[in-house]
Amino acid sequence: MAGEGTNPFAHLLSEIKIGGETFKYYNLLDLKDKRYDRLPFSIRVLLEAAVRNCDNFQVKEEDVHNILDWEKKQNVAEGVEVAFRPARVILQDFTGVPAVVDFAAMRDAVKDLGGDPKKINPICPADLVIDHSVQVEFSRTRGGDDPGGGGSLSGQSCGRCVSYGQPGCLSASMAGRRPSSRSYTRGRQPHRHGSQGSRSRPTSPLLQSQPSSPAVYSSIQSGFPQPVFVCPPAVAVPGTVVVGVQQPWPYQPTPSTSTYQLSSMVSHISIGESPVTYQQQTGTYTPVIHGYQPPVYPSLQYTSVSGAQYPANYYLGPPYRQSSLPDSRAPTPDQSHKSDSESHCSVDVEDLSFRPCGTSNARLKLLRTQVAAESVTSVSETSSIKSDTSVTPSLRLSVSSLPSPLDVPGIPIQDEVCPFHERQSEWSSALQKNQELEFERNYERFIFLKWGAQALKNMLIVPPGSGIVHQVNLEYLARVVFKNESLLFPDSLVGTDSHTTMINGLGVIGWGVGGIEAEAVMLGQAVSMVLPKVVGYCITGTLSPLSTSTDLVLTITKHLRQVGVVGKFVEFYGPGVEQLSLADRATISNMCPEYGATVGFFPVDNTTIKYLRQSSRDEKKIAEIEAYLKAVNMFRNFSDASQDPIYSEVVTLDLGDVVPSLSGPKRPHDRVSVSGMKEDFSNCLGNQIGFKGYGLPADQHDKTVPFVYENQEYTLRHGSVVIAAITSCTNTSNPTVMLGAGLLAKNAVEAGLKVAPYIKTSLSPGSGVVTHYLQHSGVTPFLTKLGFDIVGYGCMTCIGNSGPIPEPIVEAIEKNDLVCCGVLSGNRNFEGRIHPNTRANYLASPLLVIAYALAGRVDIDFEAEPIGLGVSGNPVFLRDIWPKRGEIQQVERDHVLPVMFKDVYARITTGNERWNKLEAPEDVLYPWDTRSTYIKKPPFFEGMTKELPAVKSIENAYALLNLGDSVTTDHISPAGSIARNSPAARYLAAKGLTPREFNSYGSRRGNDAVMARGTFANIRLVNKLAKKTGPRTLHVPSQEEMDVFDAADRYREEKQPVIILAGKEYGSGSSRDWAAKGPFLLGVRAVIAESYERIHRSNLVGMGIIPLQYMSGENATTLGITGKEAFTIKLPEELKTGMTIPVQMGNRSFNTILRFDTDVELTYFKHGGILNYMIRKMI
């Protein structure tokens, strides 16, 4: 065996040439072991990581041999543990803030010990996406009567900028407009319309005219006197510049043709000294623009002029009257005597600095305005306009020099920022207000995270408003194959969110872990895992035309729950997999925690490669991915059965058996077909209280309750929908279901259907890409008409950030004990999670979310009952408006374009202007603000020395808690709202905060004082030392009962150590860092339990807490332990894994097993925890 630190598998290093470049990789085929090709593809990834990282300390040769012998070792009853070092870590902000706090505190400790604090950085690459902070406080803000104004026109842009192919930067005055079908073109070269040898791309059939709205017109006219730069333009042609004028006017749409009529337009265009030929052409064209069809401001017109090499990405159109000009742009004195009809406007392009949207040095010089009636065309193209010449400003464009197209990503608006960063129109106020509140509530956290983004190396922090962590990971962050200098190896990760598994759909192994485990990996440590069984899930057949990927994943979730896959890997295979898009696979992998597996893995295949191209990954990188994975037999052909590996067991699903479905009302795996929904909900009302029952007497089932909302009376009943949310990366990452929802909304609006105004509807995409293909396809106005406004970018309704519902509804529900419903496209629907007043919550596809919102209730038989009444009062059935699969697929092919991905993620760290304006400290060490109630320096390293401390026994400790079986991390870790009578509330009140400012424990994870007070604060905690259920315990010396924190604090003052007594499965449930950090801060030195959840036990060790286990057959009850005794735990100087440790109680004692299971864990404990170990290692 090789010595510690030496890789015994170095001889497997091989070279591979890809695209003329030479790379190295560990060639697992050179193991020359027939077992390799029998391994599941997911296990091959574990094997490669073990081979590459083998150092015989953290990862041992034994680990490699155990993984290679997986077929036998998987069946060992007690389980075989192996070490795994992921390639990277991904975090969201609720779990990421504590990690960054720890790194900041570690830097202080290193400095105090005489080291260089700059050395404290993540060793393993880490990505942190801020996505858990935004809430649906506002939605359906009222707008005009146009299709973009039906409920709220909030969120028509996403807070992201767009220039040509740079989605989102649309003038505030142009918000509410439908997209041009020609705003984007496929490939790198813009599409030439009307030019010889090219074919015009037809206008989308969705782009139809809508009535005008004077309310919107007056807002535009009075509110936006500045010139407007709209990017991208409707047409972009290399070597041209686009000039145009916007003008409000009633109009009738005309079909798009290849020739265009220009009237009452601009004149006098010069390009330096180059002559320009004007040529009249006639024809008609329906003007459309990126965003929405103009309700009253439709006349986007532009002239393309050829003759020089400069970019065409700019539309200049000042929607103002001369009198509206601000002082800085008013006519000069020598022009002030001229009338409107005599003056003219000149734009001097020499005086412009072209910078990306959101930057600050664009300058515009406007001189004067005039009315011109000349017709100007170009060789390339002109678009038509019929305008009211009394208010039409004209433009004179003088161009002498412009930068090259590669240097000009876009022009900002108002000299500084894109209006959708800081200045949204009045009909975009829901998104604006939600984002403002997000920054107001989380200002301290965001300042701190921005410090981390600047100070910490090897860590990317993605600002708020960018999307949901798992969707951003799928669309941008995932490497699929890592390249470390010249070494290639599979991408893999752990994340501090259970739905990290979504990335399995891209062929990347990853799963959720606790914060302490994540920090350990960030610090270069391996995680310990039990070699899993792998369930092969064989997919055959084809989905029916009416079924969606959401229906499929809900079917799989229920199926695998019945099979039982907890703690196992699931690997999908079979010919049916090729029928699934990458987004479909990601949807299935996303809900892995709901069906209970550790991962739900789809190996990389040609569909993966196709998606990488669609999401605009670099072609060179794609070539490396494909060549490497094929070289190590990790590239899958699902049609080739000879590639099928050995699985622990196999289950099968025929896609043809999948039917439209929901899941609920309280668990994600309780699937019910849409056809059976009415009967199922009726049964739930009367069933015994449980996961499928509410225990209501039969005479209460038909109760109706009238209420008044906005001066109109409505009726609530059991089954009424009060929240309908298209939310969560589970579905918003999937263009098929999102565009399907948009087409359903279009059909519904055209049929005259509406959603009741009291239903809280919302749309929270998982990334800006979604916004842009919805806009580009023309469906956004119809979604908006039904109230599905964009309200934010992040985990919102799905994690309970659903915000308030109207008070009359709350009152009606609470006073009448109504079972009202939420319908959401999320992944979890546990009772109380979505909203306190929605006792029933159903997971559904985005299409069904809209359908049930239109119906207003869940107890409907869509086959027999109409979904609503049309314009003429005729019944409309769901089947009448349900879009055809072929139609959805065609729209997806036309409107989900690589350039959208490229341009959204080109500014992933700079696209939020609020974030850009935050002034974070630039120090190497974070300047802690002692007044902050969000961010506080933790005391983990107080009194730490360079030398290892001596191992000390625990003398005369008292039991802080005496707990029973199955105490979960939910019981231990602070979560949810902060109760007004809790120790955490008293602490915050003493800091001058009012209850409305307390926020949640999740938002305050960066403050150890709050989190320590919230540890064991669960109202359902059963403690044998307390008289009743709740966060109370007994202070043994005084025999006083008090809050758990108060007792711990008194023990600390008395310098008295404490321990915890527990039963079986202590620490089960989701892995949470504060379930170990919290007890440490309460002074807990040891836990004595019958058994432990594996990860939680490891986390206790990571915090320096000793896990002891009763001998087999013994527990506190059999040993006669009441918890009121004093305990002495004698620890020898030479600790060994699994040794017997006696525990003394007065005149009697009992033995326990020391649950340090590896030498690495012993090392961590001797240092006082993993963080202390890493600090000493860095000095």
Side-chain angles (χ1 to χ4, degrees), residues 632-873:
V632 292
N633 285 2
M634 293 189 193
F635 195 91
R636 192 72 158 96
N637 179 354
F638 290 103
S639 297
D640 184 358
S642 68
Q643 287 189 6
D644 293 351
I646 299 298
Y647 293 113
S648 307
E649 60 180 305
V650 170
V651 292
T652 302
L653 174 70
D654 185 339
L655 293 176
D657 295 336
V658 176
V659 298
S661 302
L662 303 89
S663 279
K666 301 179 184 181
R667 295 189 301 185
H669 56 276
D670 289 330
R671 186 189 68 82
V672 55
S673 67
V674 170
S675 61
M677 182 64 185
K678 182 173 184 176
E679 180 182 2
D680 187 83
F681 182 79
S682 177
N683 292 337
C684 286
L685 291 178
N687 288 347
Q688 184 178 352
I689 293 176
F691 294 121
K692 293 286 287 185
Y694 294 94
L696 297 180
D699 61 356
Q700 295 293 310
H701 290 192
D702 297 325
K703 179 191 292 185
T704 60
V705 179
F707 70 98
V708 176
Y709 177 71
E710 293 188 341
N711 300 317
Q712 185 171 343
E713 184 171 289
Y714 299 92
T715 300
L716 280 184
R717 49 184 285 187
H718 298 301
S720 289
V721 174
V722 295
I723 290 178
I726 299 176
T727 182
S728 173
C729 54
T730 308
N731 284 287
T732 67
S733 62
N734 195 321
T736 303
V737 293
M738 294 299 289
L739 289 167
L743 291 172
L744 179 67
K746 172 183 179 291
N747 296 340
V749 169
E750 291 176 346
L753 300 178
K754 297 181 179 179
V755 174
Y758 62 81
I759 297 176
K760 187 164 189 177
T761 48
S762 61
L763 168 59
S764 51
S767 84
V769 174
V770 179
T771 302
H772 304 304
Y773 65 65
L774 291 179
Q775 290 178 340
H776 193 249
S777 64
V779 299
T780 304
F782 303 102
L783 289 164
T784 299
K785 183 71 173 179
L786 297 182
F788 288 91
D789 308 284
I790 294 176
V791 296
Y793 293 83
C795 288
M796 299 184 77
T797 301
C798 188
I799 62 167
N801 287 359
S802 53
I805 58 176
E807 190 58 37
I809 296 177
V810 173
E811 184 176 345
I813 292 172
E814 292 181 347
K815 287 186 176 180
N816 296 278
D817 196 29
L818 293 179
V819 180
C820 288
C821 304
V823 183
L824 65 151
S825 62
N827 47 43
R828 286 186 174 173
N829 57 339
F830 305 124
E831 190 171 17
R833 176 185 175 92
I834 306 305
H835 193 280
N837 296 112
T838 57
R839 294 171 62 186
N841 296 284
Y842 288 91
L843 306 181
S845 70
L847 292 91
L848 287 177
V849 170
I850 291 176
Y852 282 101
L854 289 165
R857 57 192 176 95
V858 299
D859 57 339
I860 180 174
D861 181 349
F862 283 125
E863 283 299 313
E865 301 175 64
I867 195 172
L869 299 179
V871 177
S872 59

Side-chain angles (χ1 to χ4, degrees), residues 983 1009 1012-1015 1031 1042-1050 1081-1082:
R1013 287 165 172 80
T1015 302
M1042 59 188 70
D1043 288 327
V1044 173
F1045 174 81
D1046 293 336
D1049 195 45
R1050 186 179 294 188
L1081 293 174
L1082 294 181

Side-chain angles (χ1 to χ4, degrees), residues 9 37 88 121 192 209 232 261 317 390 441 482 514 541 572 685 997 1041:
F9 298 99
D37 284 331
R88 60 189 174 100
N121 293 291
R192 287 184 180 271
S209 67
Q261 174 67 47
S390 64
R441 289 169 171 164
F482 246 88
F572 296 91
L685 291 178
E997 297 171 310
E1041 190 171 303

Side-chain angles (χ1 to χ4, degrees), residues 116-134:
D116 181 3
K118 290 183 180 180
K119 290 184 177 180
I120 296 295
N121 293 291
I123 296 171
C124 178
D127 303 311
L128 190 159
V129 180
I130 303 173
D131 71 345
H132 270 51
S133 303
V134 63

Side-chain angles (χ1 to χ4, degrees), residues 52 677 902 937 940 1135 1173:
R52 175 169 38 88
M677 182 64 185
K902 180 177 181 179
K937 181 179 178 179
F940 300 145
L1135 290 173
Y1173 165 76

